[in-house]
Amino acid sequence: MSFGLAGIGCLAIAEKFVPLFPSYILLMLLGLTVPDGGALLLTIVVTTSGSVIGGLCWYAIGFSLGPQRARAAVARYGKCVFLKLSFYDRLTDAYRRNHFWVTLAGQVVPAVRIYLALPAGALKLETRTFLAATSLGCLLWNTPFLCLGYALRSSGHDLARVGFWAAFAIVTFEGIIVLAIRFRKFRKGRSHLQTARRHSKGSLWSK
């Protein structure tokens, strides 16, 4: 932070490669340090540019490797950056649909936004489409959290306490969503299993 906007840009780039700290928490904390509206606008521009640069770096890595070598690299080294092969395969499969909207939507999903550019590059998607979707997606992701931090700064309360409880609330909310999704998948899988068992019993009786 002592390097000003240059340091903020570097943090935004690093966030795409070191997924140890949730990006929304980082963005909110950066918003807490913004002194005025003009600085907030510059911070939005710089963090968005940094996020796009980080995405382009992943894209370039995937482009240089190609589909087979990229997948092999993920299988061998993905654990070093918390990227599972099964997750990479799901990202690759997502590009069977509209490339622009998949890239745009992926930029506002916490885990997907980091790694989506790798299969995009490996599949050699059209660069201008990827860049446009990534830029818009990063802008839509970064702006609300930076503005939230800036709004909390103006509340007049202790910044450390406000930052802690805001981060706690966001992480808790994300955890609830994850648990809800997993519970829904569990119920869906259990329902399918029960249906299969009923069909199996019915076929036995028919014999």
Side-chain angles (χ1 to χ4, degrees):
M1 291 301 299
S2 62
F3 290 97
L5 291 175
I8 291 175
C10 290
L11 284 175
I13 296 173
E15 179 266 324
K16 286 283 190 174
F17 287 91
V18 188
L20 298 177
F21 195 71
S23 60
Y24 46 81
I25 301 297
L26 173 63
L27 292 167
M28 187 197 67
L29 294 178
L30 288 175
L32 285 170
T33 67
V34 176
D36 53 55
L40 175 62
L41 180 59
L42 286 174
T43 303
I44 291 173
V45 172
V46 170
T47 55
T48 299
S49 300
S51 296
V52 172
I53 292 172
L56 285 174
C57 290
W58 276 116
Y59 181 91
I61 293 172
F63 192 92
S64 63
L65 292 176
Q68 287 75 26
R69 291 170 60 196
R71 190 177 188 278
V74 171
R76 186 171 184 178
Y77 304 109
K79 61 183 179 181
C80 299
V81 290
F82 308 102
L83 176 57
K84 294 182 179 179
L85 182 60
S86 58
F87 184 60
Y88 175 83
D89 287 337
R90 289 199 298 271
L91 295 179
T92 303
D93 290 340
Y95 274 120
R96 294 175 181 174
R97 299 183 289 274
N98 187 290
H99 296 167
F100 179 88
W101 290 109
V102 169
T103 302
L104 175 61
Q107 294 303 320
V108 295
V109 179
V112 175
R113 65 186 302 272
I114 297 176
Y115 302 114
L116 190 63
L118 181 61
L123 296 173
K124 294 179 170 52
L125 302 184
E126 208 277 323
T127 307
R128 287 179 296 180
T129 300
F130 172 81
L131 182 60
T134 299
S135 300
L136 180 57
C138 290
L139 179 64
L140 292 174
W141 176 260
N142 292 4
T143 301
F145 294 109
L146 288 169
C147 290
L148 173 62
Y150 180 70
L152 292 174
R153 175 186 175 86
S154 305
S155 65
H157 295 86
D158 179 69
L159 293 183
R161 180 173 296 179
V162 167
F164 171 80
W165 285 112
F168 178 80
I170 293 174
V171 172
T172 301
F173 180 68
E174 183 189 28
I176 292 173
I177 293 176
V178 171
L179 289 175
I181 293 173
R182 290 184 176 179
F183 180 71
R184 182 179 178 183
K185 288 182 177 179
F186 172 77
R187 289 190 62 183
K188 188 175 181 180
R190 188 174 181 179
S191 177
H192 288 167
L193 180 60
Q194 290 175 347
T195 302
R197 286 177 176 175
R198 285 196 296 268
H199 288 167
S200 177
K201 289 180 179 179
S203 62
L204 288 175
W205 280 108
S206 64
K207 291 179 180 180

